[in-house]
Amino acid sequence: MAAIELEGLTKDYGEVLANDGVTFDVAEGEIFGYLGPNGAGKTTTIRMLLGFISPTAGEGRVLGRDVTDERELIEAKRRIGYLPDDPQFDESSTGREILELHAGIKGDERSAELLELFDPPLDRPVREYSHGNVRKLGLVTTFMHDPDLVILDEPTSGLDPLMKQRFAEFVRNERDRGRTLFFSSHILGEVRRLCDRVGIIRSGKLVTVEPIDALLGRSGKVVRVVAADPIPRTVFERDLEGVHDLEAGFENERDVTAIGGGGRDESAGTDGIGAQVGAGKTDGTQDGTYREYTFTFTGNVDELLAVVSNYSYHDLTIEEAPLESVFLRFYGGEDDA
């Protein structure tokens, strides 16, 4: 049984279609990343899943329970942990009093372990907490009753790097214990490190759902070539399939000064920037005159190596595309409304 099932889930506010026919499943025992910029519709989906707002259309189930049936959803919530993007605690209460309240409502099986891990200042009133300490207290209250499904909305906001690393290790261990985690975030590196699958939502519409490795593979590789002799742009633009977002230039501003130029020479013809080097300086092997070409490549790497081997180059690196590049492929040029 899937831990979360959505079919055509829609929330229409009239002027804003916050979720538009969102459909996906989250399997038991996986970390599912729900990725999108602020305003894309992530929190709206979560609020419908938890019954805080009613869908305009479509269906949703969490742990086998209908999200529109209040009685069923109450049953499911006993097995759900939820961390909102902005946890709201009584600021006059201490952290210890907050934990005692939550323990009385939903039980406490793990607070001792969680307090040792996240260490919020329990004896201080919440009004004195930093944003990060509020988040740490929220993580304890989210997991203290040992839920089967955990829904996290921007869970690491405000945490320092050490605590983020600690949180990541904890989340992986929770998955290994069979817990299901639904992880909403706009922090791309976090999603890449933690998630088994990812769904991308854009302006209320689900763009894709697929394994994180498949998404990164489809996005291609980042290629950087530092050439000893200028390589015409046409080599990359016409002779190779799968070249995207080509950037060609000097390695640094001092190199531009070295040939007496400050930018692209439009008189260089079809070879563009590459031809400018040859026109400005004939000895392309001296220090500071190497050319740099950077692009995303979705084609055959063997073909790339065969083409580049026809030229003298100083350095060639091929790396996995950062998730930021994947994200921009879905969001570039569009509003984030």
Side-chain angles (χ1 to χ4, degrees):
M1 181 183 71
I4 296 175
E5 302 169 88
L6 302 183
E7 182 65 41
L9 204 65
T10 299
K11 185 61 179 179
D12 189 352
Y13 288 104
E15 295 182 358
V16 177
L17 191 57
N19 272 196
D20 185 5
V22 174
T23 300
F24 63 83
D25 294 342
V26 177
E28 290 184 343
E30 79 168 328
I31 305 175
F32 185 93
Y34 200 38
L35 182 62
N38 292 329
K42 303 186 303 296
T43 298
T44 299
T45 304
I46 289 173
R47 290 176 64 81
M48 285 191 285
L49 281 174
L50 294 171
F52 298 153
I53 57 176
S54 300
T56 306
E59 300 176 353
R61 300 180 72 83
V62 290
L63 300 177
R65 307 290 184 170
D66 186 346
V67 300
T68 63
D69 186 312
E70 184 176 357
R71 182 174 297 177
E72 286 197 18
L73 198 54
I74 289 173
E75 287 294 322
K77 284 184 177 180
R78 293 192 176 100
R79 301 160 53 202
I80 295 175
Y82 170 51
L83 180 66
D85 61 343
D86 184 19
Q88 297 293 318
F89 299 117
D90 180 359
E91 294 191 347
S92 65
S93 299
T94 65
R96 193 176 306 280
E97 290 169 337
I98 296 294
L99 289 187
E100 290 173 354
L101 174 64
H102 279 257
I105 294 172
K106 60 189 179 184
D108 178 9
E109 299 181 37
R110 303 182 64 187
S111 67
E113 166 201 353
L114 295 163
L115 288 171
E116 184 176 351
L117 184 65
F118 296 116
D119 194 27
L122 292 185
D123 294 322
R124 289 165 49 190
V126 172
R127 71 166 65 93
E128 297 179 4
Y129 276 26
S130 66
H131 183 52
N133 280 332
V134 170
R135 186 70 55 176
K136 289 190 285 186
L137 181 63
L139 287 169
V140 176
T141 61
T142 298
F143 287 92
M144 64 188 294
H145 59 299
D146 202 19
D148 296 322
L149 168 65
V150 180
I151 298 175
L152 304 165
D153 197 352
E154 305 289 352
T156 63
S157 175
L159 298 182
D160 62 45
L162 178 60
M163 191 57 63
K164 287 182 179 180
Q165 181 179 351
R166 191 173 298 177
F167 168 78
E169 293 173 357
F170 171 74
V171 165
R172 293 189 194 100
N173 288 335
E174 289 300 291
R175 177 193 54 197
D176 293 343
R177 294 178 65 235
R179 302 296 176 259
T180 304
L181 296 104
F182 181 86
F183 188 151
S184 168
S185 181
H186 69 277
I187 303 175
L188 309 176
E190 223 166 47
V191 172
R192 176 179 177 177
R193 288 192 302 272
L194 290 176
C195 296
D196 302 305
R197 288 192 304 146
V198 63
I200 296 180
I201 186 170
R202 171 182 180 176
S203 300
K205 288 181 175 290
L206 194 69
V207 177
T208 187
V209 176
E210 54 189 297
I212 190 71
D213 290 342
L215 185 64
L216 291 170
R218 185 160 56 84
S219 71
K221 306 291 183 181
V222 174
V223 178
R224 177 175 176 266
V225 182
V226 179
D229 298 318
I231 302 176
R233 289 178 65 97
T234 52
V235 169
F236 299 110
E237 293 172 333
R238 299 178 190 174
D239 297 352
L240 273 173
E241 292 186 6
V243 174
H244 308 275
D245 308 319
L246 174 66
E247 295 182 4
F250 296 95
E251 288 190 87
N252 53 54
E253 290 298 323
R254 186 168 52 190
D255 298 340
V256 176
T257 305
I259 69 163
R264 177 170 178 168
D265 183 358
E266 297 296 340
S267 65
T270 58
D271 288 349
I273 300 178
Q276 185 186 0
V277 182
K281 198 164 193 174
T282 57
D283 185 359
T285 61
Q286 295 182 13
D287 290 344
T289 63
Y290 296 112
R291 300 306 308 246
E292 181 176 317
Y293 306 82
T294 306
F295 52 90
T296 301
F297 186 61
T298 57
N300 187 304
V301 173
D302 290 337
E303 293 178 5
L304 167 68
L305 295 175
V307 168
V308 173
S309 66
N310 293 321
Y311 298 86
S312 176
Y313 60 88
H314 176 63
D315 188 32
L316 170 65
T317 59
I318 303 174
E319 299 177 346
E320 182 181 85
L323 194 53
E324 285 84 350
S325 298
V326 181
F327 193 73
L328 289 173
R329 284 189 178 277
F330 292 107
Y331 288 90
E334 299 287 343
D335 294 333
D336 290 342

